[in-house]
Amino acid sequence: MLTFEQARNRVIEEVGKRKGPRATAVISVWDALGLVLAQEVKTDREYPPFDRSTRDGYAVRSKEALPGAQLKCVGEIKAGDIVRDALGLGTCLQIMTGAAVPSGADAVVMIEHTGRNGDVVLFERAAQQGQNIVPKGSEAAAAQTILTPGKRLGYAELALAAQVGAAHLDCALRPRVAILSTGDEVVLVDEAPGEFQIRNSNSVSLAAQVRLAGGEPVVLGNAADRIEDLGEKIERGLKEDALVLSGGVSMGKYDLVESVLKAMGAEFFFDAVAIRPGKPAVFGVCQGKPVFGLPGNPVSTMVTFELFVAPAIDLLSGAEARALPLVEARLGEAMKEKPGLAHFLPARVEWRGAVPEVKALKWQGSGDIAALAKANCFLVVPADRETMEIGESVSILPRKDVI
Ligand code: AMP
Ligand code: MG
């Protein structure tokens, strides 16, 4: 059986092999958050475009602004002012943050380090050459490539594009991810369940996770545990960029997902992973499309999505697969788990001291959605550990939607 790291790497390897060029669209910078860039973005000029003051203060010749020196202030420069004239010898100019430093000046002295008497400015300490000035072109040259295809657009990247006037960006279309739940007991969320039926919460969590991962969910509803119904709906799902199924992958008599996929020509890369919850997770490729069969217990579905489906969506978006963001924390409570499988337990991490502290939450197992809704992370218990002591260093996987 593969470890979760091996299984995840297998997904990255197989989906990586198959990712082709993505269809793209030109998207306004206002709407491009979370998309993956499909073009280069170059600067339209040097950055900064002029020697820029980073402080409110006085533009000076550093050699003249010695401790105790007095210089006549002959004017002021506001941010946005046109600056053509050089600083005269023996004078200074009041200058604001973001304003252009005049030629001749080689330092800006913070206003806090000066005194003023009418026109005369008194300097308290020695000015260093270049202080509080960002030189023209020091952030980027003109026509320099600052963003490249495959870059995920977060708020800083969007601001960078905006800075250079790239108001519209060619972006990869979000991969369309078909979501199909399975099970005779499953009814639609807005249907009234019979006494022994349950609502389809997995399609809701999966759609949310697909969105968070940068994909576009295509919810196909629920397939009964029957070969024909499964076959038809899987066929439909394979028209999208990837297919995620929930349920029907365990050892039960009516767990038919794997055999139906197999009959449709699927090649499987794993059908079990050494984790709890989520052990029966399946990954294969069917008719050229990545297919994930996630176990139906809701917490299993959520965990296995994060571990195995999220990196595939990165790759299908034209980006690199992001690393699993495991974080080190201090265990806040001793615990005991069955060894043999790595556990991903609903847990709460708090940032009180220097090191985050984590405690597992009480739960009723992988059907307990309420426990996960109280959690802000998963506590990762390695497969070879049976007991863990308070104060031990452990790994957590933050829930990226709530942290
Ligand atoms: P399965 O993996 O098909 O054996 O399903 C395991 C358990 O997960 C079932 O007994 C259901 O209680 C639950 N389950 C399956 N599908 C869903 C779903 N779409 N939404 C919520 N719970 C589900
Ligand atoms: Mg089932």
Side-chain angles (χ1 to χ4, degrees):
M1 207 175 358
L2 300 184
T3 65
F4 72 86
E5 293 96 337
Q6 289 168 333
R8 186 180 165 94
N9 287 338
R10 207 67 225 277
V11 170
I12 292 169
E13 194 183 314
E14 294 300 332
V15 178
K17 265 187 218 167
R18 287 169 175 84
K19 68 167 196 192
R22 297 274 328 146
T24 65
V26 176
I27 309 285
S28 157
V29 79
W30 294 101
D31 300 324
L33 180 66
L35 294 176
V36 174
L37 193 62
Q39 64 163 88
E40 286 194 338
V41 175
K42 292 183 193 293
T43 51
D44 57 329
R45 54 180 176 164
E46 286 177 277
Y47 284 90
F50 50 83
D51 294 335
R52 182 179 63 209
S53 174
T54 63
R55 291 287 185 274
D56 295 317
Y58 294 95
V60 298
R61 288 184 163 76
S62 56
K63 271 189 262 168
E64 292 179 348
L66 300 169
Q70 299 193 356
L71 295 171
K72 187 174 180 204
C73 180
V74 294
E76 66 171 33
I77 309 171
K78 300 192 300 295
D81 281 356
I82 296 167
V83 177
R84 303 263 183 246
D85 298 337
L87 178 69
L89 282 171
T91 69
C92 65
L93 281 160
Q94 188 160 14
I95 192 166
M96 316 303 155
T97 301
V101 177
S103 62
D106 66 353
V108 170
V109 177
M110 287 166 68
I111 199 152
E112 293 88 332
H113 299 161
T114 63
R116 182 139 181 184
N117 187 359
D119 281 355
V120 177
V121 181
L122 172 69
F123 292 86
E124 295 166 359
R125 42 177 103 172
Q128 304 300 316
Q129 207 179 11
Q131 80 181 23
N132 302 325
I133 298 173
V134 181
K136 178 178 181 179
S138 62
E139 291 167 2
Q144 184 182 324
T145 300
I146 47 165
L147 293 169
T148 51
K151 186 80 175 166
R152 186 176 298 281
L153 297 168
Y155 53 77
E157 291 74 15
L158 292 173
L160 188 58
Q163 184 183 42
V164 303
H168 291 86
L169 297 165
D170 200 27
C171 297
L173 295 184
R174 294 182 187 281
R176 289 170 58 90
V177 180
I179 295 170
L180 179 59
S181 73
T182 72
D184 290 341
E185 76 281 30
V186 176
V187 303
L188 297 178
V189 174
D190 50 10
E191 253 179 274
E195 189 178 356
F196 300 104
Q197 293 180 316
I198 56 164
R199 293 193 182 89
N200 186 356
S201 63
N202 283 349
S203 289
V204 173
S205 57
L206 285 171
Q209 287 179 288
V210 165
R211 280 215 177 82
L212 273 171
E216 172 148 344
V218 181
V219 179
L220 299 182
N222 186 68
D225 293 316
R226 271 185 290 109
I227 289 170
E228 313 76 65
D229 198 28
L230 272 168
E232 256 169 47
K233 288 182 173 142
I234 287 174
E235 196 75 57
R236 165 68 188 84
L238 292 173
K239 293 194 186 349
E240 307 302 342
D241 296 311
L243 169 61
V244 179
L245 294 119
S246 90
V249 290
S250 303
M251 301 300 285
K253 186 171 161 198
Y254 296 98
D255 289 327
L256 303 170
V257 166
E258 235 179 304
S259 58
V260 171
L261 282 168
K262 188 156 213 147
M264 296 172 78
E267 181 188 355
F268 294 107
F269 301 102
F270 57 80
D271 64 0
V273 185
I275 50 172
R276 194 194 325 264
K279 185 174 155 212
V282 173
F283 165 59
V285 170
C286 190
Q287 300 171 17
K289 304 291 172 66
V291 178
F292 298 86
L294 309 183
N297 264 313
V299 180
S300 312
T301 315
M302 297 182 214
V303 168
T304 49
F305 183 97
E306 288 307 306
L307 294 178
F308 309 125
V309 187
I313 293 177
D314 281 347
L315 292 167
L316 293 171
S317 309
E320 302 271 302
R322 282 170 279 194
L324 200 61
L326 295 173
V327 176
E328 197 176 316
R330 175 186 183 277
L331 190 61
E333 208 168 55
M335 52 190 297
K336 206 171 150 82
E337 286 297 329
K338 260 207 217 128
L341 301 172
H343 288 71
F344 286 80
L345 305 172
R348 271 205 81 81
V349 60
E350 309 282 352
W351 279 265
R352 281 201 212 91
V355 184
E357 184 174 287
V358 64
K359 282 183 188 166
L361 298 174
K362 284 196 181 32
W363 72 320
Q364 299 299 324
S366 54
D368 193 347
I369 306 176
L372 198 55
K374 288 186 198 122
N376 60 3
C377 69
F378 296 97
L379 168 57
V380 187
V381 181
D384 57 356
R385 298 300 303 273
E386 191 166 0
T387 56
M388 301 224 289
E389 301 307 323
I390 186 167
E392 266 196 57
S393 169
V394 293
S395 286
I396 59 168
L397 176 63
R399 264 186 62 194
K400 59 187 177 211
D401 53 343
V402 296
I403 285 189

